[in-house]
Amino acid sequence: MEDRWLVVSDRNLALITAMEARRYGVVMVTAVSRQEAETIARTLVQAHLAACVSLLPIHSIYTWQGEVHQEDEWQLLIKCDLTKFEAIEAKVRQVHSYEVPEIIALPILAGSKPYLDWISEQVQGNF
């Protein structure tokens, strides 16, 4: 894959490579309740697997075991280093109540270099 440079911050004109930016991502997980979402978030942040987890109330319509369901859920947006995806997935599965939880990763294609550096520092435990 060709390595390209991206401008990721108008203010700082910070430059990072496309490959470097894709190292970071947002993992999406849904949870049955705010309490479960907070438990998952806290577990990931304390384990230095996530720099930040945002929690949003959502309403989902999905098929499960052949039937259409509608449920209020909580969406976790987990900002992380995608090289730790397997560990994140394992930790989520340990504390999640769903038989098949949503655990999907979306790469960050571009981002503020100071923010991406902050993610890196948090998930490495370098304080």
Side-chain angles (χ1 to χ4, degrees):
M1 177 181 292
E2 185 178 320
D3 207 21
R4 296 187 182 146
W5 291 94
L6 300 173
V7 176
V8 295
S9 173
D10 291 340
R11 291 186 186 149
N12 300 333
L13 295 178
L15 298 175
I16 60 173
T17 67
M19 289 299 290
E20 184 181 4
R22 278 192 292 273
R23 171 182 163 193
Y24 302 100
V26 175
V27 174
M28 296 175 62
V29 172
T30 52
V32 70
S33 67
R34 181 176 178 161
Q35 180 179 357
E36 182 176 63
E38 288 176 353
T39 297
I40 294 167
R42 195 173 300 106
T43 298
L44 294 173
V45 171
Q46 288 174 342
H48 301 287
L49 294 172
C52 172
V53 182
S54 301
L55 310 175
L56 306 164
I58 61 169
H59 187 75
S60 298
I61 300 172
Y62 59 94
T63 302
W64 178 247
Q65 298 179 336
E67 295 184 22
V68 175
H69 296 263
Q70 285 188 189
E71 305 290 339
D72 290 331
E73 297 182 292
W74 284 81
Q75 183 74 64
L76 289 81
L77 302 177
I78 303 162
K79 279 70 92 180
C80 63
D81 180 332
L82 291 178
T83 64
K84 298 181 181 247
F85 179 80
E86 287 181 15
I88 292 166
E89 179 183 14
K91 190 66 80 172
V92 168
R93 287 183 182 279
Q94 284 177 1
V95 298
H96 208 292
S97 65
Y98 288 172
E99 184 179 334
V100 182
E102 172 192 65
I103 309 171
I104 58 174
L106 306 173
I108 295 173
L109 300 179
S112 160
K113 182 166 178 14
Y115 185 77
L116 298 178
D117 289 345
W118 175 79
I119 290 175
S120 183
E121 289 169 10
Q122 302 315 302
V123 299
Q124 292 176 16
N126 298 333
F127 306 115

